[in-house]
Amino acid sequence: MVLVWVLLVGLSGIALLRIGNRLRSSNPNLRAFQWKYQSVTLVLGLTLFGLSGIAQGWISFLGDLSAPVRDLDYLGVTSSDTWMSMGLTFAGVMSIVTLVVVWLQSGRSNKVSFRLVSSNLPIVVLFSLTNSLTEELIFRVTLVQGIGTSIPSWAIALLSAVLFGGLHYFGQPGRVPGVLMAGFMAWLFTFAIIQTGGIVLAWLIHFIQDVIILSIVFAASQQTRGKTKAS
């Protein structure tokens, strides 16, 4: 049963790449691409969420954010720390790292301005909500619901990290930094979902990262289109 859910998530990840590449080639405009990509992949995420929930049982939305953090002492976290307090701390740290890496990979070379970032903010927020939800449903919730207690929590977290991190080699942020960042996020978010019994904390932190990423990506795309038209 564990292998079945791992294969489903792995194949879904490959499907995300193929869908993204195909839609991107037929929709060079980033906004048009995102509308179609987010719609299709959200359906995929909800389908896997439904299948794993029906098969093995459901996790809640909110969960218990006051639940103590367990088994993460090597991060300097103790059992007196709650997921709410640790989540806020890591959200801040991750956001800074994400901003620096994505800026170096996309923002700096395209000379992205604050004006371009702010002009795209409403659509960025919408796409960040759907993208973060889709990826949490596929790469975390499906594994947690589908596998349940069949294997230890650390093993489920490792599977999520390998699947999600590996696919981010081709994503944004990409290459080795993207793999390491996405892998760590997947690993930590899996523990958050298991120990709180809910998705909201992982979704919220993931959403913040996507807002940062898509803000720079949209602005960089707009800046590139402007240069192309000018030439």
Side-chain angles (χ1 to χ4, degrees):
M1 185 60 69
V2 172
L3 182 59
V4 170
W5 292 110
V6 172
L7 284 174
L8 280 174
V9 172
L11 291 173
S12 297
I14 295 172
L16 293 185
L17 286 177
R18 292 182 65 86
I19 291 169
N21 289 335
R22 179 166 295 185
L23 290 177
R24 190 176 288 109
S25 63
S26 60
N27 296 274
N29 181 278
L30 182 59
R31 185 170 299 203
F33 157 70
Q34 285 290 345
W35 275 117
K36 293 185 177 180
Y37 175 78
Q38 297 298 338
S39 300
V40 173
T41 56
L42 182 58
V43 171
L44 176 61
L46 290 171
T47 300
L48 285 180
F49 169 66
L51 289 174
S52 60
I54 292 170
Q56 303 289 348
W58 307 87
I59 65 169
S60 71
F61 174 73
L62 186 60
D64 181 10
L65 298 182
S66 64
V69 180
R70 305 188 306 274
D71 306 322
L72 297 178
D73 297 355
Y74 41 86
L75 294 180
V77 181
T78 66
S79 57
S80 62
D81 292 311
T82 66
W83 274 103
M84 173 64 82
S85 61
M86 196 194 80
L88 293 174
T89 300
F90 273 86
V93 174
M94 287 180 185
S95 297
I96 293 171
V97 174
T98 298
L99 176 61
V100 170
V101 173
V102 178
W103 176 261
L104 291 176
Q105 289 189 351
S106 299
R108 182 175 61 174
S109 59
N110 290 286
K111 299 179 179 179
V112 167
S113 67
F114 177 77
R115 180 184 62 81
L116 286 177
V117 169
S118 60
S119 67
N120 292 307
L121 195 55
I123 198 70
V124 162
V125 168
L126 175 61
F127 289 149
S128 296
L129 280 170
T130 55
N131 188 71
S132 56
L133 176 61
T134 294
E135 293 182 348
E136 287 304 314
L137 291 178
I138 294 175
F139 295 100
R140 249 76 67 199
V141 177
T142 294
L143 288 176
V144 173
Q145 288 187 161
I147 295 174
T149 57
S150 301
I151 62 176
S153 298
W154 66 263
I156 301 176
L158 181 61
L159 286 171
S160 179
V162 170
L163 293 168
F164 190 62
L167 289 169
H168 265 76
Y169 186 85
F170 310 98
Q172 185 66 255
R175 302 188 291 278
V176 174
V179 171
L180 295 176
M181 291 170 59
F184 175 74
M185 284 176 55
W187 174 82
L188 184 65
F189 292 171
T190 304
F191 275 106
I193 290 172
I194 291 173
Q195 294 185 14
T196 64
I199 186 179
V200 69
L201 183 63
W203 184 15
L204 174 61
I205 301 174
H206 195 155
F207 163 72
I208 295 170
Q209 310 316 303
D210 278 359
V211 168
I212 295 170
I213 294 167
L214 291 179
S215 291
I216 295 175
V217 169
F218 263 82
S221 174
Q222 200 169 335
Q223 185 81 354
T224 301
R225 289 204 314 272
K227 290 179 181 178
T228 303
K229 289 179 181 179
S231 61

